[in-house]
Amino acid sequence: MDELSRFRLALGAWAAGGTRADEGASVARELAGGALRTVVLVEGESDRAAVEALAARYGRDLRAEGVAVVPLGGATSIGRFLDVCGPPGLGLPLAGLCDIGEERHFRRHLERVGLGSGLAEAGLESVGFHMCVADLEDELIRAVGAEGVQEVIGAQGEARSFRVFQGQPAQRERPVEHQLRRFMGTHSGRKALYAQALVAHLDPGRVPRPLDRLLAHV
C-alpha cells in the first residue's frame, strides 16, 4: 500500500474516533510530514474516482504531486475531517468538492475551523471548495448527455440491465436523465465505475465546472 492510501485510511480512522483513533492520528501525522502537499475532501468514492480520472486525462499524477483525494463517507463527516486535517489538527492545505445541498453545512464547518469568513457572500470557491449542482453524477450526465451516457452503459455491458430498470413502475414516467442518475446508485461500486467511465467519455470542452476548477486550484 502506498503512502497516500495509508494516509487516507489513517485519516478516516482518526476522524471516526473510537479505538483506532489514536493509531490513525499517529500514522496520519507521520505521513503528513512527508511528500503530502494537499488534501482534497470529497463526499464519496465516486467523487474520488472522477477527480483522479480527470487529473489523469489532464496528464497529472496526483499521487506523485502529493495530493491526497480523501472520501468523507458522506457530507455529514466534513466537520470531523476538518478537525483532524484542517487548522485544529494537521494544518494541511485543503480543497474539496460538495453537493449544492450540502453547501451550508460545509460553509459552517469551514468557518468554524478558521478557513474563511463570510463565505455566504464570498462563496466556497474562495477557499478551494467547489459545488456540484445536485451531485457529481448529475454534473457528468449533463456534460456527456443522455445519449452519450447510454453509450457508456452499453460499453460496460449493462444496456439490458438499464432497459429493465427503465421498465420498473417507479421509473417509467421519469425523464431519462433521472433514470440514468438513479441507475448508477443501484449497486455498490456502480457510481465509482461510471464516474471513471463518464470522465473518460467527456468532450474536453464540456468538463463540469466544479471538477475543472477544483483541479485548477490544486
Side-chain angles (χ1 to χ4, degrees):
M1 184 184 297
D2 62 61
E3 287 194 354
L4 285 186
S5 296
R6 288 179 62 213
F7 176 78
R8 277 199 299 265
L9 290 173
L11 199 67
W14 186 7
T19 58
R20 298 184 58 238
D22 288 345
E23 178 187 354
S26 176
V27 173
R29 287 191 182 101
E30 175 190 348
L31 295 175
L36 186 65
R37 182 173 63 84
T38 303
V39 174
V40 177
L41 299 173
V42 298
E43 292 193 26
E45 285 291 342
S46 61
D47 305 271
R48 180 174 74 86
V51 170
E52 292 180 346
L54 185 59
R57 279 200 63 177
Y58 286 169
R60 296 179 59 183
D61 182 344
L62 295 183
R63 291 171 182 261
E65 294 178 23
V67 177
V69 185
V70 177
L72 301 172
T76 57
S77 297
I78 183 62
R80 295 196 299 273
F81 275 85
L82 289 175
D83 284 338
V84 300
C85 60
L90 298 175
L92 291 166
L94 300 176
L97 195 68
C98 72
D99 300 343
I100 195 167
E102 306 295 343
E103 187 268 343
R104 290 178 64 186
H105 189 59
F106 271 59
R107 169 164 40 91
R108 177 168 62 86
H109 283 289
L110 286 164
E111 292 180 341
R112 176 181 62 80
V113 299
L115 291 173
S117 60
L119 294 180
E121 292 76 27
L124 296 189
E125 284 195 15
S126 65
V127 291
F129 283 72
H130 301 266
M131 288 186 297
C132 297
V133 174
D135 55 23
L136 183 61
E137 287 73 32
D138 175 69
E139 292 278 359
L140 290 171
I141 289 167
R142 285 188 289 108
V144 173
E147 184 176 337
V149 176
Q150 290 177 81
E151 291 175 7
V152 171
I153 289 173
Q156 296 295 326
E158 293 199 309
R160 183 177 180 279
S161 295
F162 179 61
R163 288 196 298 272
V164 170
F165 177 79
Q166 285 182 298
Q168 294 178 359
Q171 302 300 325
R172 289 174 189 162
E173 303 303 319
R174 291 186 171 185
V176 65
E177 292 82 4
H178 289 233
Q179 295 171 343
L180 291 165
R181 185 173 164 216
R182 182 69 184 90
F183 177 74
M184 291 177 191
T186 53
H187 288 173
S188 176
R190 188 177 263 167
K191 280 188 177 183
L193 169 71
Y194 281 104
Q196 291 177 307
L198 291 175
V199 166
H201 198 78
L202 276 173
D203 182 305
R206 292 187 59 83
V207 174
R209 186 179 187 277
L211 282 176
D212 186 56
R213 296 285 291 172
L214 174 64
L215 284 172
H217 179 82
V218 301

